[in-house]
Amino acid sequence: MASAHSEAPEPPRISTLGVDGMRVSFGSTLSEAANRAALSFRAAIEAEGLMGVEETATSLTSAYLRLDLDHADHDSLRAKIETLLGSRDWYAAPLPQGRKLWRVPAVFGTDLAPQLEEAAKLAGLSPDAAITALCAAPLRVQTIGFAPGQPYLGELPREWDIPRQTGLTAHVPEGAVAVAIRQMVLFSVSTPTGWRHVGQTALRLFNPDKPDPFILRPGDEVQFQPVTREEFENIRTRDADGGAVSERLG
Amino acid sequence: MAEIILHRTGPGVTLQDMGRKGYLAQGLSRGGAADILALAEGAALLQQDADLAAIEIAGSFVSLEVTAPARIALTGAPMRALCDGAALAWHASHALPAGAQLELSGSAGGYSYVHFGGGIEGDDMLGSRSAHLAAGIGQMLEGGGKFPIGADRGSRVGMTFAPLPRFDGGVLRLVETPQTHLFGQDVLERFTATPFSKDARGNRMGQRLVSEGAGFETAAGLTILSESIVPGDIQVTGDGAPFVLLSECQTTGGYPRIGTVLPCDLPRLVQARAGAELRFCFIPLDEAVALERAEAKRRAGLRSAAYPMIRDPHDMADLLAYQLISGVTRGDDLERSAS
């Protein structure tokens, strides 16, 4: 997935997060390279198995490390992070292994996703052209967060740099696809949101009853496949996985 | 196997333990008891592991019974506790006879906990029995529900302890976040000079605070990228009011954070009564780390801080069952142990 951004990446910055956390930030604005760096760096930290690191996660452009203060101190951990940061160019590092490409049926517009026209207008496109654009290429799961299993997908072409609404939509349903700031969010729970609701899937992204309750991982890719309202209703009634199919991405 | 039978419950009653670790990368925050300290206190009173599940009551009410004799402990925000009409002391452990009606009500706010010897064995999901309502895991408990109680290896009841004071507000210590500097020195000074109180809208995800005067928003902070957030982080949303994230908070957020409350001070926030005054003060990270380590050590030693309740002998039908002689001291034990 090529990014339209071309500015030189910011050097990584280490800061503390709370009393027992550290954050390694690869950029204060979203870019493909900064997201790639965050994903790769977190995978490397996990592989190192550093003493005192209890848990790691990524956000759009940064990695987060939660420490066990009984077995770690900030100074020695910071030194190890600096060593690892200096060991390679994280902005050009390969993405972690084991990623998947998901093809996910979605209905765009209709009363199921009532803000397609509004969002298309903001992007300067007709509703049909908007659907084509939103489904044109796989989008990377840049991060999973806010709610369980919920992906932020990107990066969309520049015309999709549309703002969030100033007001909140009281709720969008589980499986809703919403757009803003060159990203799409696929909602794992019914929630209020300021993002515009343009599509609807029958995906259940988080199912706590399953042994592995999460469908997507950071670094996976998702390509939406537009379906009609009728096809969508069929998928919703007959397919527990919302019609999603996956293949390995090397 | 002994069971708890819930007869009546108000809103906000859930099963809670220490929560789920290891799912932050998948967007699931740890969750768990709003007042982790109260869990540790209940475990200490019952001399059992602190990761067993208990009933959390968020300013509400509960009536229940057990199908076999059980030990219970009551911790967190004090409530009126009646066992078949007789008052039970809070911050204490008790024997609950089979079929006796336990009635808990009248909290002044905050989170109260009922622990059972052997712990509550609700459904384990992803390594925890905690309801995480924001994530759609578990649910609020309702009248008519039943839960098995685990095997109780202990027998001692009638124990109490001096809880860490945390029901009347006070000063909450903060460390800086990567965005603290965005607020500017004058705003930070005003923030730490301002008394706050809890807004009625708080829940397990977070607690909004209110104050007199202007808000604390920063224009510079409105364009920051979403990133990992942690319980204790104080987000300043568009209205300028601080919103402190709690155990069920989302895992990422894009509002600027003015500071992060020390985990060891969070119990004083979640347990502050309505109207109690809360203030903030920044401390250096190394001091915060030392305070956290000291509190972890204190929590681990709570078991030895529990002592038998002093009861009026007239109220003690089982007086002869007590060994009244051991425990006599030389009179200077405290001085000697302090030196």
Side-chain angles (χ1 to χ4, degrees), chain B residues 240-256:
Chain B
F243 186 89
V244 188
L245 299 169
L246 299 177
S247 82
E248 245 176 51
C249 66
Q250 62 273 33
T251 59
T252 56
Y255 288 112

Side-chain angles (χ1 to χ4, degrees), chain A residues 136-151:
Chain A
L139 298 169
R140 182 188 297 165
V141 178
Q142 295 168 314
T143 187
I144 293 208
F146 194 80
Q150 178 168 303

Side-chain angles (χ1 to χ4, degrees), chain A residues 3-54:
Chain A
S3 169
H5 289 292
S6 57
E7 33 306 1
E10 301 166 31
R13 278 175 311 169
I14 307 171
S15 35
T16 60
L17 206 60
V19 180
D20 63 354
M22 298 196 80
R23 179 196 75 158
V24 184
S25 172
F26 294 92
S28 54
T29 56
L30 178 58
S31 68
E32 197 278 337
N35 182 244
R36 169 185 293 268
L39 292 169
S40 304
F41 184 75
R42 182 215 170 198
I45 286 279
E46 288 278 324
E48 291 264 316
L50 293 180
M51 178 80 166
V53 176
E54 283 265 286

